[in-house]
Coordinates of all heavy atoms in Angstrom, one line a residue:
L133 N -36.7 -54.6 148.8 CA -35.6 -55.3 149.6 C -34.7 -54.3 150.3 O -34.1 -54.6 151.3 CB -34.8 -56.2 148.7 CG -35.5 -57.5 148.2 CD1 -34.7 -58.1 147.0 CD2 -35.6 -58.5 149.3
N157 N -39.7 -59.2 141.7 CA -39.1 -58.8 140.5 C -37.6 -58.5 140.9 O -37.3 -58.1 142.0 CB -39.7 -57.4 140.1 CG -39.5 -57.2 138.6 OD1 -38.4 -57.2 138.1 ND2 -40.6 -56.9 137.9
L158 N -36.7 -58.8 139.9 CA -35.3 -58.5 140.2 C -35.1 -57.0 140.3 O -34.2 -56.5 141.0 CB -34.4 -59.1 139.1 CG -34.5 -60.6 138.9 CD1 -33.6 -61.1 137.7 CD2 -34.0 -61.4 140.2
S159 N -35.9 -56.3 139.5 CA -36.0 -54.8 139.6 C -34.9 -54.0 139.1 O -35.1 -53.0 138.4 CB -36.4 -54.3 141.0 OG -37.7 -54.6 141.3
A160 N -33.6 -54.3 139.4 CA -32.5 -53.5 138.9 C -31.2 -54.2 139.2 O -31.1 -54.9 140.2 CB -32.5 -52.1 139.7
P161 N -30.2 -54.0 138.3 CA -28.9 -54.6 138.5 C -28.3 -54.4 139.9 O -27.8 -55.3 140.5 CB -28.0 -54.0 137.4 CG -29.0 -53.7 136.3 CD -30.2 -53.2 137.0
F162 N -28.5 -53.1 140.4 CA -27.9 -52.8 141.7 C -28.5 -53.7 142.9 O -27.8 -53.9 143.9 CB -27.9 -51.3 142.0 CG -29.2 -50.8 142.6 CD1 -29.4 -50.8 144.0 CD2 -30.2 -50.3 141.8 CE1 -30.6 -50.3 144.6 CE2 -31.4 -49.8 142.4 CZ -31.6 -49.8 143.7
I163 N -29.8 -54.0 142.7 CA -30.4 -54.9 143.7 C -29.7 -56.3 143.8 O -29.3 -56.8 144.8 CB -31.9 -55.1 143.5 CG1 -32.7 -53.8 143.4 CG2 -32.5 -56.1 144.5 CD1 -32.9 -53.1 144.8
C164 N -29.5 -56.8 142.6 CA -28.8 -58.1 142.5 C -27.4 -58.1 143.0 O -26.9 -59.0 143.6 CB -28.8 -58.6 141.0 SG -30.4 -58.7 140.3
E165 N -26.7 -56.9 142.8 CA -25.3 -56.8 143.2 C -25.2 -56.5 144.7 O -24.4 -57.1 145.4 CB -24.6 -55.6 142.4 CG -24.4 -56.0 141.0 CD -23.7 -54.9 140.2 OE1 -24.4 -53.9 140.0 OE2 -22.5 -55.0 139.9
F166 N -25.9 -55.4 145.2 CA -25.6 -54.9 146.5 C -26.6 -55.3 147.6 O -26.4 -55.1 148.8 CB -25.5 -53.4 146.5 CG -24.5 -52.9 145.4 CD1 -24.9 -52.2 144.3 CD2 -23.2 -53.2 145.6 CE1 -24.0 -51.7 143.4 CE2 -22.2 -52.7 144.7 CZ -22.6 -52.0 143.6
F167 N -27.7 -56.0 147.2 CA -28.7 -56.5 148.1 C -28.8 -58.0 147.9 O -29.9 -58.5 148.1 CB -30.0 -55.7 148.0 CG -29.8 -54.3 148.4 CD1 -29.5 -53.3 147.5 CD2 -30.0 -53.9 149.8 CE1 -29.3 -52.0 147.9 CE2 -29.9 -52.6 150.2 CZ -29.5 -51.6 149.2
R168 N -27.7 -58.6 147.6 CA -27.7 -60.0 147.3 C -28.2 -60.9 148.4 O -29.0 -61.8 148.3 CB -26.3 -60.4 146.9 CG -26.1 -61.9 146.7 CD -24.7 -62.2 146.4 NE -24.5 -63.7 146.4 CZ -23.5 -64.3 145.8 NH1 -22.5 -63.6 145.3 NH2 -23.4 -65.6 145.9
D169 N -27.8 -60.5 149.7 CA -28.1 -61.4 150.8 C -29.7 -61.4 151.1 O -30.2 -62.5 151.2 CB -27.4 -60.9 152.1 CG -25.9 -61.1 152.0 OD1 -25.5 -61.7 151.0 OD2 -25.2 -60.6 152.9
Q171 N -31.9 -60.6 149.0 CA -32.6 -61.2 147.8 C -32.6 -62.7 147.8 O -33.6 -63.4 147.6 CB -31.9 -60.7 146.5 CG -32.7 -61.0 145.2 CD -32.0 -60.5 144.0 OE1 -30.8 -60.7 143.8 NE2 -32.7 -59.8 143.2
E172 N -31.4 -63.2 148.2 CA -31.3 -64.7 148.3 C -32.1 -65.3 149.5 O -32.6 -66.4 149.4 CB -29.8 -65.1 148.6 CG -29.0 -65.0 147.3 CD -27.5 -65.4 147.5 OE1 -27.2 -65.9 148.6 OE2 -26.7 -65.3 146.6
T186 N -31.0 -57.4 131.3 CA -29.9 -56.8 132.0 C -29.8 -57.3 133.5 O -28.7 -57.7 134.0 CB -30.0 -55.3 132.0 OG1 -30.5 -54.8 130.7 CG2 -28.6 -54.6 132.3
E187 N -30.9 -57.3 134.1 CA -31.0 -57.8 135.5 C -30.6 -59.2 135.6 O -29.9 -59.7 136.5 CB -32.4 -57.5 136.1 CG -32.8 -56.1 136.2 CD -34.2 -55.7 136.1 OE1 -35.1 -56.7 136.0 OE2 -34.6 -54.5 136.0
A188 N -31.1 -60.0 134.7 CA -30.9 -61.5 134.7 C -29.4 -61.7 134.5 O -28.8 -62.6 135.2 CB -31.6 -62.2 133.5
R189 N -28.7 -61.0 133.6 CA -27.3 -61.1 133.4 C -26.5 -60.7 134.6 O -25.5 -61.3 134.9 CB -26.9 -60.4 132.1 CG -27.4 -61.0 130.8 CD -26.9 -60.4 129.5 NE -27.4 -61.2 128.4 CZ -28.1 -60.7 127.4 NH1 -28.4 -59.4 127.4 NH2 -28.5 -61.5 126.4
T190 N -26.9 -59.7 135.2 CA -26.2 -59.2 136.5 C -26.4 -60.3 137.5 O -25.4 -60.6 138.2 CB -26.8 -57.9 137.0 OG1 -26.7 -56.9 135.9 CG2 -26.0 -57.4 138.2
F191 N -27.6 -60.9 137.7 CA -27.8 -61.9 138.7 C -26.9 -63.1 138.4 O -26.2 -63.6 139.3 CB -29.3 -62.4 138.6 CG -29.7 -63.3 139.7 CD1 -30.2 -62.8 140.9 CD2 -29.5 -64.7 139.6 CE1 -30.6 -63.7 141.9 CE2 -29.8 -65.5 140.6 CZ -30.4 -65.0 141.8
S192 N -26.7 -63.5 137.1 CA -25.8 -64.6 136.7 C -24.4 -64.3 137.1 O -23.7 -65.1 137.7 CB -26.0 -64.8 135.2 OG -24.9 -65.6 134.8
V194 N -23.2 -62.1 139.4 CA -23.1 -62.1 140.8 C -23.0 -63.5 141.4 O -22.2 -63.7 142.4 CB -24.3 -61.3 141.5 CG1 -24.3 -61.5 143.0 CG2 -24.2 -59.8 141.2
H195 N -23.7 -64.4 140.8 CA -23.6 -65.8 141.3 C -22.6 -66.7 140.7 O -22.6 -67.9 140.9 CB -25.1 -66.4 141.3 CG -26.0 -65.7 142.2 ND1 -26.7 -64.6 141.9 CD2 -26.3 -66.0 143.5 CE1 -27.4 -64.2 143.0 NE2 -27.2 -65.0 144.0

Side-chain angles (χ1 to χ4, degrees):
L133 288 164
N157 204 308
L158 298 177
S159 286
F162 84 88
I163 301 287
C164 304
E165 286 179 291
F166 305 114
F167 292 87
R168 174 181 173 166
D169 295 354
Q171 189 179 52
E172 283 182 7
T186 320
E187 293 150 8
R189 289 186 176 122
T190 305
F191 190 92
S192 169
V194 166
H195 291 88

